[in-house]
C-alpha cells in the first residue's frame, strides 16, 4: 500500500491542473491515467482544434479582404503538423510534473475502499481523491476527436450531425480545408446554449451559407463521411466506482464545493456540468483550494469564459441571471474591427445598479474582448488562450 496526500484519476484539463497546483504546494500526489497523458483535450480535442483554427482563421481574414485564393495547405499536412506538436507538448507537460514530484501510474483505476484505489497490482491510499475521468461520445459513429487526431481519412463530401459548439467548429475547419460540408441539424445553431442570443446564431448561420456550408434539417444522403457531433457524456464507470453517487444522466452528484457523497472525494472536469476544458480548469482551482485551505470555495460557472471558434468566434462570460438590461455594440465602431471588415456584435448585460455583469460577443478575434471583460470582473480566462498565462503569474 502506497500512501499519498491526493490521488487524481485522469490527466485531462481538470486532473492535470489540480495535480500541478497541489504539487506546487508540496503535497504528495499520484496521478492515474489509463490512456494518453493529457486526456482528450490535449490529444484529440481543444488543442489540435485550436491549432487548426489558428491556420484557418488567419487565412480566412486575408481571403475575405483581398479576395485571394488561400495557400495550398492540405488537411493531411495540417493534421500531421498538429500531431507532431502535440506529441512534443505531451512529453514536455508530463516531464514537467514528474520532475516536480508527481507520481504517474498508468492503468485503470478502481475504488476498492472509500480512500483506496487499485491500479493493476498497485494499491494506493489517499487522504483525498479527485475524480477527473473526462467524457466520451454520446452516440456511436465517427467522432470529432477521430477527425482532429487524424484517425479517420475523410471523403470529399462530409456530413456533420449536430448544431452545438463542436459541430460549428468542425464545419468551419473542414470548409476552409476544401471539403464540401453539410450540417445536419434538428434545431437552430447553438440553440442549446442559453447565453448565446438568437441573433448571434442567425449571423453565424448566414456566414456559413456565405462560405458554402449547407445547413439542412435531418439530412443524411449522398455523402462520403458522416461525423457525429451530438455531444458527450461523463466517463465514470459505476462498476469501478460503485460507492460514488451518480445522476441518471451519468454526471456525478456533488455539492457546491465539488465534493461527492464520499467525504474527501471530489469530482472535476466533464464528470460535473457544465462540460468543457475552461470549466475543468476552474473546477480544478476550486478543488485545490478546498483541499489545501479547507472546504470554503464554491464552484461558480459564471466565472468561466467560453469561446466557440468557428467562422466567427462566439463566446460569453459572466452571470446572465443577474442582468436586467442589455446594450448592443457593433464591432465596426472599433477601428481594428472595421479594418478587418468585421460584422460582429457585442452584447453587455448590466445589473440593477448599472454594473456590467455579463458579456456575449460574436466576431473575429472576440476572445480578446471576452477575456479582457473576464479580467475586469476578476474571473479566470478561457482555454486555450494567450491570456491564461496570467493565471500562472497572479
Amino acid at each position: 500500500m502506497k500512501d499519498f496526500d491526493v490521488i487524481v484519476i485522469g490527466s485531462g484539463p481538470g486532473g492535470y491542473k489540480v495535480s500541478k497546483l497541489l504539487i506546487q504546494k508540496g503535497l504528495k500526489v499520484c496521478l492515474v491515467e489509463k490512456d494518453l497523458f493529457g486526456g482528450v483535450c490535449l490529444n484529440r480535442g481543444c488543442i489540435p482544434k485550436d491549432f487548426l483554427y489558428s491556420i484557418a482563421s488567419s487565412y480566412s481574414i486575408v481571403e475575405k479582404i483581398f479576395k485571394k485564393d488561400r495557400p495550398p495547405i492540405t488537411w493531411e499536412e495540417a493534421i500531421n503538423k498538429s500531431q507532431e506538436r502535440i506529441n512534443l507538448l505531451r512529453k514536455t507537460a508530463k516531464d514537467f510534473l514528474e520532475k516536480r514530484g508527481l507520481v504517474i501510474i498508468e492503468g485503470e483505476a478502481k475504488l476498492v475502499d472509500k480512500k483506496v484505489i487499485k491500479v493493476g497490482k498497485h494499491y494506493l491510499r489517499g487522504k483525498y481523491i479527485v475524480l477527473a475521468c473526462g467524457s466520451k461520445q454520446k452516440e456511436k459513429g465517427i467522432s470529432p476527436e477521430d477527425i482532429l487526431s487524424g484517425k479517420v481519412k475523410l471523403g470529399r463530401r462530409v456530413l456533420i450531425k449536430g448544431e452545438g459548439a463542436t459541430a460549428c467548429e468542425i464545419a468551419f475547419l473542414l470548409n476552409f480545408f476544401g471539403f464540401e460540408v453539410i450540417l445536419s441539424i434538428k434545431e437552430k445553431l447553438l440553440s442549446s446554449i442559453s447565453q448565446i442570443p438568437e441573433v448571434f446564431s442567425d449571423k453565424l448561420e448566414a456566414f456559413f451559407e456565405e462560405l458554402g456550408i449547407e445547413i439542412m434539417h435531418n439530412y443524411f444522403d449522398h455523402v462520403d463521411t458522416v461525423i457525429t457531433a451530438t455531444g458527450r457524456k461523463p466517463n465514470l464507470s459505476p462498476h469501478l466506482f460503485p460507492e460514488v453517487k451518480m445522476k441518471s444522466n451519468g454526471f456525478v452528484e456533488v455539492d457546491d464545493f465539488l465534493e461527492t457523497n464520499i467525504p474527501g472525494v471530489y469530482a472535476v472536469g466533464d464528470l460535473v456540468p457544465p462540460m468543457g476544458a475552461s470549466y475543468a480548469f476552474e473546477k480544478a482551482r476550486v478543488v485545490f483550494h478546498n483541499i489545501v485551505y479547507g472546504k470554503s470555495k464554491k464552484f461558480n460557472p459564471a466565472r468561466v469564459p467560453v469561446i466557440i471558434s468557428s467562422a466567427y468566434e462566439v463566446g460569453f462570460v459572466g452571470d446572465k441571471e443577474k442582468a436586467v438590461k442589455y446594450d448592443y455594440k457593433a464591432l465596426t465602431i472599433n477601428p481594428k474591427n472595421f479594418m478587418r471588415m468585421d460584422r460582429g456584435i457585442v452584447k453587455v448585460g448590466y445589473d440593477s445598479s448599472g454594473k456590467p455583469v455579463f458579456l456575449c460577443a460574436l466576431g473575429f478575434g472576440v476572445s480578446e474582448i471576452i477575456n479582457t471583460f473576464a479580467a475586469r470582473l476578476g474571473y479566470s480566462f478561457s482555454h486555450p488562450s494567450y491570456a491564461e498565462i496570467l493565471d500562472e503569474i497572479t
Side-chain angles (χ1 to χ4, degrees), residues 290-348:
N290 292 333
I291 289 175
V292 174
Y293 300 109
K295 190 177 171 182
S296 58
K297 187 171 185 177
K298 296 181 179 180
F299 170 61
N300 177 11
R303 291 178 52 85
V304 180
V306 175
I307 310 293
I308 299 163
S309 300
S310 187
Y312 288 122
E313 284 187 341
V314 189
F316 56 87
V317 66
D319 194 340
K320 184 183 176 185
E321 300 303 316
K322 291 183 179 179
V324 295
K325 60 179 180 178
Y326 291 94
D327 187 20
Y328 286 83
K329 297 287 185 184
L331 290 182
T332 49
I333 66 174
N334 181 300
K336 181 170 182 175
N337 295 101
F338 180 85
M339 294 301 293
R340 286 157 48 119
M341 300 173 65
D342 194 342
R343 295 168 292 184
I345 190 169
V346 174
K347 177 183 179 182
V348 182

Side-chain angles (χ1 to χ4, degrees), residues 93-347:
K94 188 176 180 181
D95 290 348
F96 173 86
L97 293 182
E98 287 184 312
K99 287 177 181 178
R100 283 153 181 79
L102 180 67
V103 176
I104 299 177
I105 296 179
E106 296 181 359
E108 187 173 69
K110 182 176 182 178
L111 186 69
V112 295
D113 199 354
K114 290 186 177 180
K115 294 294 178 66
V116 178
I117 296 290
K118 181 178 183 292
V119 186
K121 296 179 180 180
H122 300 281
Y123 283 86
L124 317 170
R125 181 167 52 206
K127 297 175 185 175
Y128 297 93
I129 293 174
V130 180
L131 305 176
C133 306
S135 60
K136 56 188 176 182
Q137 184 163 308
K138 274 185 180 179
E139 299 182 23
K140 292 181 179 180
I142 297 172
S143 71
E145 293 73 34
D146 293 333
I147 302 306
L148 293 170
S149 63
K151 180 180 177 181
V152 173
K153 184 175 177 61
L154 296 169
R156 180 52 46 191
R157 188 166 169 83
V158 179
L159 174 75
I160 303 172
K161 293 169 54 181
E163 62 263 0
T166 301
C168 291
E169 291 174 329
I170 298 297
F172 171 66
L173 289 177
L174 295 183
N175 170 262
F176 170 80
F177 281 101
F179 294 94
E180 296 177 33
V181 178
I182 303 168
L183 264 176
S184 177
I185 65 175
K186 293 181 179 180
E187 299 179 33
K188 288 185 66 67
L189 296 182
L190 306 177
S191 58
S192 63
I193 306 174
S194 63
Q195 294 92 334
I196 297 177
E198 189 171 330
V199 64
F200 284 30
S201 301
D202 291 339
K203 279 183 170 289
L204 181 59
E205 184 171 327
F207 197 11
F208 271 180
E209 292 175 350
E210 185 180 319
L211 293 172
I213 298 172
E214 298 180 66
I215 300 174
M216 307 182 74
H217 287 267
N218 300 311
Y219 180 87
F220 298 102
D221 297 327
H222 309 298
V223 295
D224 302 311
T225 307
V226 178
I227 302 171
T228 303
T230 51
R232 299 180 65 79
K233 59 184 179 181
N235 194 29
L236 189 73
S237 172
H239 82 272
L240 294 176
F241 297 89
E243 300 299 321
V244 177
K245 284 188 178 180
M246 300 168 61
K247 299 179 181 179
S248 58
N249 56 10
F251 287 112
V252 175
E253 287 191 18
V254 294
D255 59 18
D256 292 340
F257 306 92
L258 300 180
E259 190 173 36
T260 71
N261 61 295
I262 304 174
V265 177
Y266 290 86
V268 299
D270 284 354
L271 297 183
V272 180
M275 287 184 166
S278 294
Y279 288 116
F281 280 112
E282 179 65 14
K283 293 167 192 172
R285 284 187 282 266
V286 169
V287 169
F288 161 75
H289 176 97
N290 292 333
I291 289 175
V292 174
Y293 300 109
K295 190 177 171 182
S296 58
K297 187 171 185 177
K298 296 181 179 180
F299 170 61
N300 177 11
R303 291 178 52 85
V304 180
V306 175
I307 310 293
I308 299 163
S309 300
S310 187
Y312 288 122
E313 284 187 341
V314 189
F316 56 87
V317 66
D319 194 340
K320 184 183 176 185
E321 300 303 316
K322 291 183 179 179
V324 295
K325 60 179 180 178
Y326 291 94
D327 187 20
Y328 286 83
K329 297 287 185 184
L331 290 182
T332 49
I333 66 174
N334 181 300
K336 181 170 182 175
N337 295 101
F338 180 85
M339 294 301 293
R340 286 157 48 119
M341 300 173 65
D342 194 342
R343 295 168 292 184
I345 190 169
V346 174
K347 177 183 179 182

Side-chain angles (χ1 to χ4, degrees), residues 8 10-11 15-16 19 29-33 37 97 102-105:
V8 180
S11 64
Y16 174 86
S19 297
V29 182
C30 176
L31 187 150
V32 180
E33 175 57 69
F37 183 86
L97 293 182
L102 180 67
V103 176
I104 299 177
I105 296 179

